[in-house]
């Protein structure tokens, strides 16, 4: 085989290898879903619709799951001072896995005026796959504790999943809530790594890493081409 044909074959193989690595990226789909909450409050029933966003960041053998509310839900007839309100929620697992994931977050960092929709801080938890396959994450029950009272908000419109992940199970899998929310670091008491801030992106992180690996394969192919070219020139010079 001539050096030109050999060079072309190496470049083609490198390109195909890069494409194969890119296509191997794990499946992850996220979308903002409107959730119609019906809330049981100390002063009666209330309702509110809020777009819910659920994102993931891969951490070791599991995923850091963050749930965000884009609009406030429920309200209080009196002002809630700083730190007076603490939220928590559940996320329903579906597809290859089942059960619920508990997510928690910090108390309100500023006073909430009376009769104003309560803005929920980002809530986080750690998910470790128990089964391999495609797992869905859907908004579940929101619980708000404030001034010695509890408000429970339940989705009533059968919302679609906000996140879908293609996961691989590991031994000792399970789910656990986080002791910190809103991207805060810390340990959630489950032994999972929760340190560092949470980026707002999810599957793009894995895709970027895989794309970098594909680029490395392409560079390796280019290096082989350069070596063959130099060898060919040296051979011609010898003749």
């Amino acid at each position: 085989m001539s050096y030109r044909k050999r060079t072309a074959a190496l470049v083609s193989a490198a390109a195909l290898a890069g494409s194969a690595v890119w296509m191997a990226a794990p499946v992850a789909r996220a979308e903002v879903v409107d959730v119609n909450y019906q809330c049981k409050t100390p002063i009666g029933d209330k309702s509110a619709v809020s777009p819910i966003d659920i994102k993931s960041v891969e951490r070791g053998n599991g995923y850091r799951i963050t749930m965000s509310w884009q609009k406030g839900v429920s309200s209080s007839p009196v002002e809630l001072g700083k730190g007076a309100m603490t939220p928590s929620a559940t996320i329903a697992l579906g597809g290859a896995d089942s059960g619920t994931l508990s997510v928690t977050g910090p108390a309100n960092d500023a006073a909430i005026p009376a009769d104003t929709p309560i803005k929920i801080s980002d809530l986080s938890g750690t998910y470790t796959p128990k089964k391999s396959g495609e797992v869905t994450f859907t908004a579940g029950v929101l619980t708000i504790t404030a001034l010695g009272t509890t408000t429970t908000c339940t989705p009533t419109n059968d919302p679609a999943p906000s996140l879908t992940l293609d996961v691989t199970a590991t031994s000792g899998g399970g789910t656990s809530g986080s002791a910190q929310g809103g991207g805060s670091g810390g340990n959630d008491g489950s032994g999972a790594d929760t340190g560092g801030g949470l980026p707002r992106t999810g599957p793009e992180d894995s895709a970027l890493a895989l794309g970098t690996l594909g680029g490395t394969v392409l560079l390796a192919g280019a290096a082989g081409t350069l070596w063959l070219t130099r060898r060919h020139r040296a051979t011609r010079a010898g003749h």
Side-chain angles (χ1 to χ4, degrees), residues 175-239:
T175 58
S176 62
S178 166
Q180 299 290 332
S184 301
N187 192 299
D188 63 3
S190 65
D193 176 19
T194 61
L198 285 174
R200 290 295 297 170
T201 57
E204 292 86 350
D205 300 329
S206 298
L208 178 60
L210 289 166
T212 302
L213 180 57
T216 303
V217 174
L218 290 174
L219 288 174
T225 299
L226 180 61
W227 182 82
L228 286 174
T229 302
R230 288 180 176 174
R231 183 183 178 202
H232 177 70
R233 288 176 180 173
T235 303
R236 291 179 61 185
H239 287 302

Side-chain angles (χ1 to χ4, degrees), residues 93-117:
L93 306 177
D97 210 341
S98 61
T100 58
L101 169 67
S102 296
V103 288
T104 59
N108 57 307
D109 59 3
I112 302 173
D115 301 317
T116 300

